[in-house]
């Protein structure tokens, strides 16, 4: 990174964080010259097994998907972030198939992993070594008893351990990777417990013991700090806690377990609003943190380790919040960064992540009457439910008051869901820019809206697409113009200092909310404003009229005369015919033709953009590393805060 980036990054740290990072640098230098040695271990045994009969509770269709996925993996096929790999039978752990580059060897902290020219796409390299494909193979063994799956897992683990000596290479540079990898190893050992070679692979294997010990020592020494204490530190704590519970074979295991549990409890609270939404305001990280937290509690309950009540309470609130915000197809908002990260993977392709989390929440916490129905099945829920004790404990009263009705407005997160007939769903964003001083996973999307009809993106959040190596695309997908909001003078509302760094944050505030239930009729209303543009205030009002099936978006710019661009990004399934300031929208859902009319502000000049690259405009990213052309409607003109031209009204009317 440039010297300017380091200065900007330093400016977002407090004295305590700076001191901690200085200590980290000293420790890295010491470890280079005098690496620590794993103590000798004797008599290690693995006892954190699944209760008898657990795998019999896996639904047949979920087991079928799991086995199909395992067979694809056995044949060498996998896809990561839009890149198909056929080399999984004998993978090169340091190879990036996207760029064709191979990460360099050397002391871990010397590897320039952010430099794609030197290393390759680091996400492509890291993802395979999270070993979550091996948890899938191990789960297939547990369900079928077919030893081919277990033998492949053992072969790959032995090869990985041999090729990635402690503190050497790219897989020892980031704590989140070590934490998730430890969690995978715990579950691999658990799922392989019936295989005769399991003990020889893990507790009776000095190489495995050395790896497990070094992973935990690394995590104890180099936790994410201060402005970086987001989902990364939760993955670090959850992975270390799980390993210290299940692999409690080392002199330091008790100390590691205590420290990791203390960190997990503190960071879960810090990373979660009182309403239950994740403070990063990036929905996929809400899912990641919830998965990690549930997995950690499963290890605690299996090992008989008491956990603070606050941990279960946070996970309960997170689960209720997830149930509250999903649409009719169980899709949550597409908000902030998303990199397809998972905490624990034991399911095959086609398993709905969010339905799986709600099913687990039902099994662990109990569903509320207003929760949406979950019709799909998964493998992970019966496994976790077999390990986690029900909440609240028998004979005790719940310490958290759960919402009697489905929440629509989350005041602390500034997120509001408006619902209407015909499965109309609208997310309004009036919350903080992001979490902590760098807001690493935030987008410049203040006052943006996201609208769906029966689960189809109509006015879409375009997504994320990439993190490293493609700065123009990274900038676009998190820009103000890349969201359904208003841009002034061609700049973002918040100021970026790097791909995971914001140096100035727009401040939003919600002014009014009225959210009658979708079945109650009437009009739902929301109003908010932000101060991201010095000298002007952008205020937006949104009204969803149930009777008319009509959504109004009224944008007001107060202040000096400014040039504005108002963008509406359509989902990839939407076709648009734009004539003047009216766009006719058409799409198909379940074989049925649907349509809507978007009447745009006539004070602006409107153009449709699709799949443009210089600069990027008109794109939708369904998942990390994947993008496709989609229509974006952009209106340009001027706003005068002292005249009528300072207000722009957009009307979206659904037909049928």
């Amino acid at each position: 990174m440039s010297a300017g980036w380091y200065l900007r990054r330093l400016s977002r740290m407090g004295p305590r964080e700076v001191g901690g990072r200085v200590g980290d640098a000293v420790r890295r230098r010491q470890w280079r010259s005098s690496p620590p040695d794993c103590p000798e271990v004797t008599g290690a045994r693995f006892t954190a097994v699944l209760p008898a009969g657990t795998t019999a509770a896996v639904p047949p269709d979920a087991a079928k998907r799991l086995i199909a996925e395992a067979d694809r993996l056995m044949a060498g096929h996998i896809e990561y972030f839009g890149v198909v790999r056929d080399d999984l039978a004998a993978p090169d752990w340091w190879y990036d198939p996207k760029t064709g580059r191979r990460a360099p060897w050397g002391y871990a902290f010397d590897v320039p992993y952010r430099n794609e020219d030197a290393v390759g796409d680091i996400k492509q390299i890291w993802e395979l070594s999270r070993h979550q494909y091996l948890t899938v193979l191990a789960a297939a063994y547990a369900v079928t008893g077919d030893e081919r799956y277990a033998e492949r897992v053992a072969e790959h683990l032995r090869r990985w351990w041999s090729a990635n000596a402690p503190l050497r290479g790219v897989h020892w540079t980031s704590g989140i990777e070590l934490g998730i990898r430890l969690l995978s190893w715990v579950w691999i050992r658990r799922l392989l417990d019936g295989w005769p070679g399991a003990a020889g692979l893990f507790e009776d294997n000095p190489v495995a013991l050395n790896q497990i010990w070094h992973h935990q020592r690394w995590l104890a020494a180099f936790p994410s700090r201060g402005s970086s204490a987001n989902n990364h530190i939760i993955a670090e704590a959850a992975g270390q806690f799980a390993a210290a519970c299940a692999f409690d074979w080392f002199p330091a295991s008790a100390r590691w377990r205590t420290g990791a549990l203390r960190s997990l409890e503190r960071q879960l609270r810090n990373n979660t609003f009182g309403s239950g939404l994740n403070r990063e305001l990036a929905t996929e990280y809400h899912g990641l943190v919830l998965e990690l937290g549930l997995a950690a509690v499963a290890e605690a309950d299996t090992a008989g380790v008491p956990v603070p009540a606050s941990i279960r309470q946070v996970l309960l609130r997170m689960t209720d919040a997830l149930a509250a915000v999903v649409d009719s197809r169980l899709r949550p908002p597409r908000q902030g960064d998303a990199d397809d990260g998972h905490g624990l993977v034991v399911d095959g392709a086609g398993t709905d992540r969010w339905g799986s989390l709600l099913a687990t929440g039902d099994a662990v916490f109990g569903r509320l009457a207003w929760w949406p129905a979950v019709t799909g099945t998964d493998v992970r829920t019966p496994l976790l439910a077999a390990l986690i004790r029900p909440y609240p404990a028998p004979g005790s009263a719940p310490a958290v008051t759960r919402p009697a009705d489905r929440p629509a407005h989350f005041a602390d997160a500034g997120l509001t869901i408006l619902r209407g007939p015909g499965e109309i769903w609208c997310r309004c964003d009036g919350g903080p820019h992001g979490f902590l001083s760098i807001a690493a996973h935030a987008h410049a999307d203040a006052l943006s809206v996201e609208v769906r009809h029966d689960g189809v993106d109509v006015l879409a959040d375009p997504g994320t697409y990439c993190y490293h190596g493609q700065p123009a695309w990274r900038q676009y997908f998190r820009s103000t113009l890349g969201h359904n909001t208003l841009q002034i003078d061609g700049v973002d509302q918040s100021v970026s200092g790097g791909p995971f760094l914001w140096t100035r944050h727009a401040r939003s505030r919600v002014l009014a909310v009225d959210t009658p239930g979708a079945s109650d009729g009437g009009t739902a209303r929301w109003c908010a404003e932000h101060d991201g543009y010095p000298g002007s205030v952008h205020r937006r009002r949104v009204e969803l009229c149930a009777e008319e099936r009509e959504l109004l978006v009224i944008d007001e710019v107060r202040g000096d005369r400014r040039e504005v661009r108002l963008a509406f990004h359509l989902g990839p399934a939407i076709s648009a015919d734009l004539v003047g300031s009216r766009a006719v929208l058409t799409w198909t859902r379940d074989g049925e033709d649907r349509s809507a009319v978007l009447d745009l502000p006539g004070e602006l000049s409107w153009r449709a953009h699709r799949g443009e690259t210089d600069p990027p405009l008109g794109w939708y990213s369904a998942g990390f590393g994947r993008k496709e052309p989609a229509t974006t409607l952009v209106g340009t003109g001027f706003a005068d805060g002292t005249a009528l031209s300072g207000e722009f009204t957009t009307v979206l009317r659904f037909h049928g």
Side-chain angles (χ1 to χ4, degrees), residues 60-82:
D61 56 336
K64 183 178 180 180
R65 291 194 304 273
L66 166 65
I67 295 166
E69 181 74 10
D71 288 342
R72 281 192 292 271
L73 297 173
M74 291 291 288
H77 307 306
I78 199 167
E79 178 182 334
Y80 287 135
F81 313 132

Side-chain angles (χ1 to χ4, degrees), residues 418-652:
L418 309 181
R419 299 178 189 269
E423 308 299 346
I424 300 171
W425 176 98
C426 174
R427 171 181 65 87
C428 302
D429 178 8
H433 174 62
F435 182 48
L436 302 174
S437 62
I438 64 173
H441 291 297
H443 291 185
D445 57 356
L447 308 196
S448 64
V449 296
E450 184 184 3
V451 180
R452 300 176 191 159
H453 186 282
D454 196 18
V456 174
D457 291 312
V458 179
L459 302 182
D461 183 293
T464 298
Y465 178 54
C466 66
Y467 281 169
H468 301 282
Q470 298 170 281
W473 290 102
R474 175 64 170 154
Q475 191 280 330
Y476 168 70
F477 275 98
R478 64 181 196 147
S479 69
T480 298
L481 185 62
H483 294 82
N484 297 316
T485 188
L486 185 140
Q487 183 194 60
I488 294 179
D489 290 345
V491 298
D492 288 338
Q493 312 149 335
S494 296
V495 177
S496 172
F500 298 98
L501 171 63
W502 296 90
T503 57
R504 184 174 62 78
H505 304 179
R507 295 175 299 178
S508 302
R509 61 173 183 150
V510 176
L511 303 175
V513 175
D514 182 14
T515 55
S519 60
D520 298 336
T523 299
R525 295 181 173 85
W526 173 88
C527 180
E529 65 183 20
H530 76 81
D531 66 354
Y533 296 109
S536 294
V537 172
H538 174 206
R539 177 175 292 182
R540 168 169 277 186
R541 304 194 304 277
V542 178
E543 298 181 0
L544 176 57
C545 178
E547 184 176 349
E548 301 295 332
R549 296 172 53 79
E550 179 178 274
L551 184 80
L552 275 70
V553 180
I554 303 104
D555 289 292
E556 181 181 356
V557 178
R558 297 184 172 188
D560 301 332
R561 177 177 170 85
R562 311 291 286 267
E563 182 181 20
V564 300
R565 285 197 289 182
L566 181 60
F568 290 107
H569 300 261
L570 308 181
I574 308 298
S575 297
D577 182 13
L578 175 66
V579 177
S581 60
R582 167 169 284 196
V584 177
L585 314 181
T586 55
W587 66 97
T588 301
R589 179 58 152 169
D590 297 333
E592 180 181 344
D593 292 336
R594 309 284 180 90
S595 65
V597 171
L598 187 61
D599 282 319
L600 301 159
E603 300 92 338
L604 303 177
S605 176
W606 289 90
R607 284 188 57 195
H609 304 263
R610 185 177 180 87
E612 299 173 9
T613 59
D614 189 19
L617 186 59
W619 295 91
Y620 179 94
S621 175
F624 197 84
R626 300 183 291 276
K627 69 179 188 300
E628 60 185 301
T631 300
T632 296
L633 306 174
V634 179
T636 59
F638 289 88
D640 186 342
T642 63
L644 183 62
S645 59
E647 185 171 293
F648 310 101
T649 300
T650 303
V651 183
L652 175 62

Side-chain angles (χ1 to χ4, degrees), residues 244-560:
C245 287
F247 302 147
D248 59 340
W249 308 323
F250 308 101
S253 290
R255 174 167 52 84
W256 288 337
R257 185 167 57 244
T258 299
L261 182 59
R262 185 185 304 115
S263 175
L264 183 66
E265 190 275 336
R266 181 173 63 253
Q267 298 305 333
L268 275 174
R269 284 190 290 105
N270 290 347
N271 276 257
T272 309
F273 285 113
S275 64
L277 290 178
N278 183 264
R279 286 184 181 271
E280 293 197 76
L281 295 173
T283 307
E284 282 207 5
Y285 288 110
H286 183 107
L288 172 64
V289 168
L290 182 53
E291 289 170 358
L292 291 166
L294 289 168
V297 170
E299 297 307 325
D301 288 354
T302 302
V305 176
V307 300
S310 61
I311 289 181
R312 296 181 200 269
Q313 291 165 7
V314 168
L315 298 176
L316 169 60
R317 292 201 306 270
M318 292 182 72
T319 305
D320 281 341
L322 175 62
V325 301
V326 295
D327 66 18
S328 60
R329 302 284 175 136
L330 300 185
R331 293 180 61 216
R334 283 167 53 89
Q335 183 178 19
D337 272 348
D339 71 347
D340 299 353
H342 290 258
L344 173 63
V345 181
V346 289
D347 275 282
T351 301
D352 179 57
R353 175 185 196 173
W354 308 105
S356 170
L357 278 170
L358 291 177
T360 303
D362 185 3
V364 174
F365 303 118
R367 60 176 287 114
L368 296 173
W370 53 262
W371 273 29
V374 177
T375 56
T377 62
D378 69 310
V379 175
R380 187 176 61 191
T381 289
L383 302 186
L384 286 174
L387 300 178
I388 302 175
R389 63 176 174 81
Y391 179 85
S396 67
V400 173
T401 301
R402 302 175 69 183
D405 299 302
R406 190 176 202 171
H409 177 57
F410 297 80
D412 47 11
L415 184 145
T416 305
I417 304 293
L418 309 181
R419 299 178 189 269
E423 308 299 346
I424 300 171
W425 176 98
C426 174
R427 171 181 65 87
C428 302
D429 178 8
H433 174 62
F435 182 48
L436 302 174
S437 62
I438 64 173
H441 291 297
H443 291 185
D445 57 356
L447 308 196
S448 64
V449 296
E450 184 184 3
V451 180
R452 300 176 191 159
H453 186 282
D454 196 18
V456 174
D457 291 312
V458 179
L459 302 182
D461 183 293
T464 298
Y465 178 54
C466 66
Y467 281 169
H468 301 282
Q470 298 170 281
W473 290 102
R474 175 64 170 154
Q475 191 280 330
Y476 168 70
F477 275 98
R478 64 181 196 147
S479 69
T480 298
L481 185 62
H483 294 82
N484 297 316
T485 188
L486 185 140
Q487 183 194 60
I488 294 179
D489 290 345
V491 298
D492 288 338
Q493 312 149 335
S494 296
V495 177
S496 172
F500 298 98
L501 171 63
W502 296 90
T503 57
R504 184 174 62 78
H505 304 179
R507 295 175 299 178
S508 302
R509 61 173 183 150
V510 176
L511 303 175
V513 175
D514 182 14
T515 55
S519 60
D520 298 336
T523 299
R525 295 181 173 85
W526 173 88
C527 180
E529 65 183 20
H530 76 81
D531 66 354
Y533 296 109
S536 294
V537 172
H538 174 206
R539 177 175 292 182
R540 168 169 277 186
R541 304 194 304 277
V542 178
E543 298 181 0
L544 176 57
C545 178
E547 184 176 349
E548 301 295 332
R549 296 172 53 79
E550 179 178 274
L551 184 80
L552 275 70
V553 180
I554 303 104
D555 289 292
E556 181 181 356
V557 178
R558 297 184 172 188
D560 301 332

Side-chain angles (χ1 to χ4, degrees), residues 141 145 147 150-151 189 192-201 204:
Y141 165 76
E147 293 193 0
E151 290 164 356
R189 177 60 185 88
L192 294 185
D193 190 61
W195 180 55
L201 179 62
D204 295 338

